[in-house]
Amino acid sequence: MLYPYETLVDWDRQHLWHPFTQMQGFREEELLIITRGEGAYLFDHLGRRYLDGVSSLWTNVHGHGRPELNQAISRQLEQMAHSTLLGLAHPPAIVLARRLAEMALPGLTKVFYSDSGSTAVEVALKMAFQYWQLRGAPQKQRFLKLSGAYHGDTLGAVSVGGIALFHDIFHPLLFETLEAPAPYCYRCPEEQDCREQCLERLEEMVAAHHQELAAVILEPVMQGAAGMIPQPSGYLARVREITRRHDVLLIADEVATGFGRTGTMFACESEGVSPDLLCLAKGITGGYLPLAATLATEDIYRVFLGEFQDFKAFFHGHTYTGNPLAAAAALASLEIFEKEAVIESLAPKIDKLSRLLAEMQTHPHVGDIRQRGLMVGLELVQNRDTREPFPAARRTGHRVILEARKRGVILRPLGDVLVLMPPLCISGEELDTLAEVAYESICQGAGEAQKGPQSV
Ligand SMILES: *Cc1c(COP(=O)(O)O)cnc(C)c1O
């Protein structure tokens, strides 16, 4: 599309309402228009190169412009761009369902497609709800969530979300939920042993309400949008044990953590946990096309079986559900995972990133460094000793990412938590760049420059 930059900026300001964006201030800023991607890099309208430090909002896995992914999509395109799964099937959706069932956590044999993380969560919530209705426990209608949870922006997903800033205004539209404290150790309201106290609270709530609880929903191992809040080791396994003991379903939302982000293919693997329902999206297509999947156990699936006139079917389905182009991209991405032993190759990258992050630890405005695999949150604070945050109006996180942009790295913060979440294909040298730029940008954007990290 050969429109001059000025024309595009003009039309953007006239017509494009950007997501999660205060348009008033945004219109004043220089608009960065991305025109091309290659490997771990994005390029703007002037051909300037940027390291994609957050994987194009947590989606990209093997890099931009991977020939295998491009070819898989164009090969499928030669056959057919779209056909429905309502009453019909097509090869990419069938083969992908088989692959996902084979590779996903034990017991998850059924794959229900949709097209975004939010819809994957809606599907899981409705499946869990209907499951208990059909199983003769109609009072089990409620959901328990964690504080700070993020499961998407549609109303069901917002109801099980715990980020006040995103959700409060919509409160009258939402259903009631129970909320257990997430183990946010850095700012834990509990005096000691954050993990035990949080688990105790959760267990009390599940024990007290199990008769009305349909499911517990959580982001396993690392809460993403909450500000990259990792769960202490052993937490997830205990939640699984508690839900099982009280006959409450467990929904694992791996929309962000799935497909290698935390160092294993799925975050649940690190604790040997299988949920009853698993939500996948973001990285499922390698970050190329919108696709989502909700995986369910045989037990859940069977409860929905019956005669046509029993009307036990799962009455849900999105028009572009399981789109063949997206499914073909997902299959090609999984093939790269296998052929290049991507998961096995992550350990040295994760170690290297840990070492680079450790060097930032002494910066007076780096309050907390949180890492699980290649998912990182750096919580920036005004005062490291008191953990006092910066005033929101200062927009420290935003200042920092603008500094990073000047230095050729694209980042997007969560408030004053600086997020680093590079594509899994990032090289060691690129990790050095990412860490160096992050550090310099923190010095510039938050203040008080110090000695930067050296290459490891
Ligand atoms: C991003 C995200 C979602 C929502 O996915 P969309 O594709 O934006 O609808 C849901 N859950 C988690 C954990 C996420 O990170």
Side-chain angles (χ1 to χ4, degrees):
M1 271 180 282
L2 294 168
Y3 293 101
Y5 175 73
E6 291 70 24
T7 307
L8 291 173
V9 171
D10 188 34
W11 290 354
D12 183 279
R13 302 221 155 124
Q14 283 187 55
H15 303 297
L16 215 165
W17 193 341
H18 290 260
F20 273 105
T21 302
Q22 174 45 262
M23 294 307 294
Q24 186 175 303
F26 186 71
R27 292 166 56 99
E28 315 291 310
E29 288 179 10
E30 187 196 337
L31 183 65
L32 184 56
I33 299 180
I34 301 298
T35 54
R36 200 166 69 78
E38 193 184 317
Y41 295 94
L42 296 167
F43 297 81
D44 72 7
H45 61 284
L46 291 174
R48 288 179 297 201
R49 192 177 82 151
Y50 304 87
L51 189 60
D52 188 358
V54 288
S55 301
S56 293
L57 219 70
W58 314 1
T59 59
N60 195 277
V61 178
H62 310 295
H64 297 276
R66 276 292 293 241
E68 300 94 317
L69 282 160
N70 293 356
Q71 280 157 19
I73 295 166
S74 33
R75 247 182 275 126
Q76 176 55 40
L77 189 53
E78 281 162 23
Q79 301 299 312
M80 159 183 79
H82 184 68
S83 162
T84 186
L85 291 183
L86 278 68
L88 302 173
H90 54 71
I94 297 169
V95 180
L96 180 61
R98 169 132 184 116
R99 290 282 282 123
L100 289 172
E102 277 171 354
M103 67 179 285
L105 307 156
L108 296 166
T109 50
K110 302 296 182 197
V111 178
F112 191 98
Y113 290 114
S114 60
D115 34 46
S116 77
S118 305
T119 58
V121 168
E122 296 291 333
V123 166
L125 296 175
K126 287 175 74 176
M127 272 183 184
F129 183 92
Q130 190 172 340
Y131 169 80
W132 292 113
Q133 297 298 305
L134 296 175
R135 266 209 38 193
Q139 73 287 0
K140 282 170 87 73
Q141 298 190 0
R142 302 183 75 185
F143 293 90
L144 186 145
K145 67 190 181 191
L146 297 186
S147 56
Y150 179 77
H151 297 292
D153 296 328
T154 53
L155 288 174
V158 171
S159 293
V160 291
I163 300 179
L165 181 65
F166 299 171
H167 299 155
D168 272 3
I169 187 135
F170 301 112
H171 190 260
L173 302 177
L174 309 179
F175 55 76
E176 289 299 322
T177 53
L178 296 164
E179 182 177 313
Y184 184 2
C185 300
Y186 182 61
R187 296 191 182 280
C188 190
E190 308 291 350
E191 293 290 299
Q192 27 34 11
D193 206 342
C194 176
R195 185 187 80 158
E196 284 313 302
Q197 304 258 5
C198 288
L199 278 168
E200 242 168 65
R201 270 306 286 141
L202 183 132
E203 176 153 23
E204 279 166 18
M205 293 173 86
V206 173
H209 295 279
H210 69 97
Q211 284 177 328
E212 48 174 1
L213 266 182
V216 169
I217 180 167
L218 52 65
E219 298 154 81
V221 175
M222 184 77 128
Q223 282 189 312
M228 298 293 158
I229 314 295
Q231 291 150 8
S233 155
Y235 176 87
L236 179 64
R238 281 276 298 281
V239 174
R240 175 69 281 193
E241 186 271 315
I242 292 164
T243 49
R244 197 160 268 148
R245 182 148 43 83
H246 292 281
D247 208 14
V248 171
L249 297 177
L250 179 64
I251 302 172
D253 176 356
E254 292 227 28
V255 169
T257 54
F259 302 99
R261 292 293 170 196
T262 66
T264 48
M265 188 55 110
F266 300 106
C268 285
E269 285 170 40
S270 65
E271 301 246 322
V273 160
S274 273
D276 301 289
L277 292 157
L278 174 69
C279 304
L280 303 173
K282 288 199 169 101
I284 191 171
T285 59
Y288 278 54
L289 287 165
L291 181 75
T294 305
L295 274 66
T297 58
E298 205 66 27
D299 170 51
I300 290 177
Y301 175 81
R302 282 223 188 93
V303 170
F304 287 73
L305 299 178
E307 298 299 328
F308 173 80
Q309 64 275 16
D310 297 339
F311 299 118
K312 285 182 171 182
F314 185 50
F315 292 107
H316 188 107
H318 300 280
T319 307
Y320 279 100
T321 272
N323 172 264
L325 296 176
L331 281 166
S333 170
L334 292 179
E335 211 163 285
I336 296 174
F337 266 110
E338 205 173 87
K339 241 188 13 218
E340 300 188 357
V342 170
I343 297 294
E344 293 74 7
S345 73
L346 287 178
K349 297 184 190 186
I350 294 167
D351 287 347
K352 172 160 188 158
L353 185 56
S354 306
R355 289 198 300 275
L356 291 166
L357 292 169
E359 293 176 46
M360 303 188 195
Q361 210 161 274
T362 51
H363 190 282
H365 293 299
V366 175
D368 195 21
I369 298 176
R370 303 188 278 263
Q371 180 192 11
R372 288 289 185 276
L374 292 181
M375 283 178 92
V376 174
L378 296 154
E379 185 160 339
L380 306 177
V381 292
Q382 177 117 290
N383 184 321
R384 221 161 69 102
D385 300 324
T386 63
R387 306 188 176 185
E388 183 195 346
F390 281 106
R394 190 177 179 276
R395 302 195 68 198
T396 303
H398 185 65
R399 287 187 193 205
V400 170
I401 67 113
L402 290 183
E403 291 296 331
R405 193 177 293 182
K406 286 189 214 158
R407 293 165 173 79
V409 174
I410 303 266
L411 297 175
R412 181 165 173 92
L414 292 158
D416 287 344
V417 175
L418 188 65
V419 174
L420 309 180
M421 197 158 154
L424 305 189
C425 69
I426 193 165
S427 70
E429 232 168 273
E430 288 159 354
L431 277 174
D432 283 326
T433 306
L434 179 65
E436 270 161 37
V437 169
Y439 191 85
E440 283 171 24
S441 306
I442 292 168
C443 293
Q444 285 299 314
E448 293 178 67
Q450 282 207 334
K451 190 171 74 75
Q454 271 113 44
S455 301
V456 177

